[in-house]
Amino acid sequence: MTGTIEILYEDEFILGVNKPNNVLVHHSHYARNITDDSLLQLLKSQQNGLSYYPINRLDRKTSGVVLLSKQKSYVSQFQELFDLKEVNKVYQALVRGHVLEPDTIDSPVKNDRGNYKGAISRISPLQTFEIDIPVQPYPTARYTLLEMQPVTGRTHQLRIHANKISHPIIGDHKYGNRHHNRMFEQRLGFENLFLHCKETSFRHPVTQENISINAPFPAFWEECLQQLQALSL
């Protein structure tokens, strides 16, 4: 059970919600084998049958801020903000290894058609951990809580860029490190992807207000960070 979808922001035009891990924003051809209720279905049930229209999306395994329109006619106004790069999105990720300095990753990402498109992400370390658990080939394991800001919005961009700099995101079975993923599952008890859209901010295209929507971490994040802190050397 996913439980109640947390509503973070609401006005007469849009809804900002905290999407849980492992929930599709909506069903599509690409996820035709997934039968669990989507975010749109869960919200419709929760909101007395009201329908909403996605403005942006997150990967199924990623949690955090998703914007939804109350009317289909509003969607294009808000999506234009994303197209013009006028939406600031701040993610946090738990990655393998120690990232010690802020950096900008400028590396193309392949799209669904197999073409490479320019992609830029900014990263900044927030906290590092070293724990006394060996993970092949090292006698201890190092991790960084990382802030990630996508300048462009390519599919899987942050996950690919984290892998590109040899600091893959924990729980990422496509682009990650299987040894660290296995340790988190078997020793610490965490199977989810550690990528969370923490904040989305923009100027409202109708009201012209500056809007900042913040999403609390899922509970397992807090539990994991506490464990890492307790185990730290």
Side-chain angles (χ1 to χ4, degrees):
M1 282 294 290
T2 300
T4 302
I5 302 299
E6 183 180 13
I7 295 173
L8 305 167
Y9 173 86
E10 183 173 7
D11 62 26
E12 60 183 298
F13 303 99
I14 62 170
L15 207 63
V17 303
N18 193 359
K19 186 187 85 66
N21 292 77
N22 304 317
V23 173
L24 289 167
V25 172
H26 61 84
H27 289 287
S28 69
H29 172 76
Y30 295 104
R32 56 192 177 277
N33 59 330
I34 297 170
T35 58
D36 294 342
D37 284 349
S38 69
L39 179 69
L40 295 185
Q41 289 171 317
L42 292 167
L43 274 171
K44 189 170 187 175
S45 174
Q46 181 177 312
Q47 300 288 92
N48 298 316
L50 293 175
S51 294
Y52 299 94
Y53 305 89
I55 295 167
N56 74 307
R57 294 164 178 78
L58 292 177
D59 292 346
R60 174 174 171 256
K61 294 186 176 184
T62 304
S63 57
V65 182
V66 169
L67 301 181
L68 305 160
S69 175
K70 291 186 172 182
Q71 301 289 338
K72 201 169 188 177
S73 58
Y74 302 151
V75 171
S76 60
Q77 293 179 73
F78 288 90
Q79 283 186 338
E80 187 176 15
L81 298 178
F82 286 89
D83 295 340
L84 296 172
K85 299 182 176 61
E86 292 178 358
V87 179
N88 184 50
K89 292 175 288 180
V90 178
Y91 290 74
Q92 289 189 14
L94 186 65
V95 303
R96 183 202 71 80
H98 280 176
V99 179
L100 300 176
E101 300 289 341
D103 198 3
T104 298
I105 306 164
D106 186 346
S107 178
V109 167
K110 191 187 292 187
N111 66 11
D112 292 336
R113 296 183 179 87
N115 301 317
Y116 281 92
K117 297 289 185 179
I120 300 172
S121 305
R122 297 192 182 102
I123 63 171
S124 183
L126 300 174
Q127 187 175 3
T128 58
F129 307 91
E130 182 172 2
I131 63 174
D132 191 17
I133 296 177
V135 178
Q136 186 180 335
Y138 302 106
T140 61
R142 293 180 171 187
Y143 303 100
T144 302
L145 178 62
L146 196 64
E147 181 175 283
M148 306 187 78
Q149 293 182 265
V151 179
T152 51
R154 309 300 181 197
T155 300
H156 294 176
Q157 176 178 314
L158 296 180
R159 296 166 61 187
I160 293 169
H161 276 177
N163 173 274
K164 184 81 175 180
I165 60 170
S166 300
H167 293 289
I169 298 171
I170 300 303
D172 190 339
H173 290 275
K174 185 168 186 178
Y175 305 104
N177 180 292
R178 70 182 187 279
H179 302 298
H180 288 272
N181 291 343
R182 188 180 304 123
M183 190 280 283
F184 266 73
E185 292 170 11
Q186 296 179 354
R187 296 288 298 270
L188 303 182
F190 299 106
E191 298 181 352
N192 288 328
L193 176 71
F194 279 86
L195 181 61
H196 179 72
C197 183
K198 196 88 169 61
E199 180 183 354
T200 297
S201 54
F202 54 93
R203 182 182 288 274
H204 199 294
V206 182
T207 68
Q208 298 304 307
E209 289 180 86
N210 289 320
I211 306 296
S212 181
I213 304 173
N214 291 271
F217 281 136
F220 75 88
W221 268 83
E222 303 290 356
E223 294 168 18
C224 181
L225 293 175
Q226 287 174 13
Q227 278 202 46
L228 290 177
Q229 191 67 55
L231 292 167
S232 286
L233 296 170

